[in-house]
């Protein structure tokens, strides 16, 4: 299993955001994805349902889902704001999410207006028994 990158924040629901816990909201959009812990537990992803561009999402409220050969899991965004981009590559080929969850497998970008409680990489790794 890959280690947890320390350049972003995490939720207990296994999503990441390209924003450090406690940081000021940036003027540029932030990317959101699922963690390697989530990707590993889900197994082979076969479908992703992401919010449409322009949708206002609320941190902690389901805004889409990822479906694997094992289960369907809701996506709980770590930030509130307006979706400004979705990763069309991940929608077309969900296996990229499992292969590279912190890079090419990002899910969507948000012009953030607020955040959920974010965990640091060390806090997230500790809660999930993985290395940071």
């Amino acid at each position: 299993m890959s280690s947890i990158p320390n350049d972003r924040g995490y939720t207990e629901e296994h999503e990441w955001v390209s924003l450090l816990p406690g940081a000021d909201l940036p003027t540029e959009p932030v990317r959101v994805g699922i963690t390697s812990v989530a990707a590993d537990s889900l197994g082979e992803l076969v479908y992703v349902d992401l919010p449409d561009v322009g949708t206002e999402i609320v941190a902690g409220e389901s805004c889409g889902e990822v479906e694997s050969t094992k289960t369907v899991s809701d996506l709980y965004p770590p930030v509130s704001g307006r979706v400004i981009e979705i990763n069309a590559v991940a929608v077309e080929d969900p296996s990229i999410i499992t292969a590279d969850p912190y890079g090419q497998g990002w899910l969507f970008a948000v012009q953030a207006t607020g955040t959920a409680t974010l965990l640091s990489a060390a806090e997230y790794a500790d809660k999930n028994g993985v290395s940071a």
Side-chain angles (χ1 to χ4, degrees), residues 57-129:
I57 59 172
V58 177
E61 292 186 10
S62 177
C63 70
E65 58 188 28
V66 290
E67 183 177 335
S68 72
T69 54
K70 296 182 196 175
T71 188
V72 176
S73 294
D74 284 333
L75 292 171
Y76 297 100
V79 293
S80 297
R82 188 170 54 83
V83 175
I84 59 116
E85 183 182 6
I86 63 165
N87 185 351
V89 173
V91 172
E92 290 295 318
D93 181 10
S95 68
I96 191 77
I97 300 166
T98 307
D100 188 12
Y102 301 112
Q104 294 181 340
W106 63 276
L107 299 178
F108 53 89
V110 179
Q111 188 65 55
T113 58
T115 70
T117 300
L118 298 177
L119 304 172
S120 69
E123 290 167 330
Y124 179 80
D126 188 54
K127 282 185 176 288
N128 291 282

Side-chain angles (χ1 to χ4, degrees), residues 12-25:
E12 291 193 17
E13 292 79 24
H14 309 292
E15 282 83 19
W16 60 261
V17 60
S18 56
L19 179 67
L20 289 170
D24 290 336
L25 292 175

Side-chain angles (χ1 to χ4, degrees), residues 2 4 23 27 29 39-40 50 52 120:
S2 60
I4 307 299
T27 54
D40 290 346
L50 301 178
D52 293 329
S120 69

Side-chain angles (χ1 to χ4, degrees), residues 22-34:
D24 290 336
L25 292 175
T27 54
E28 68 275 357
V30 294
R31 285 186 171 175
V32 173
I34 63 170

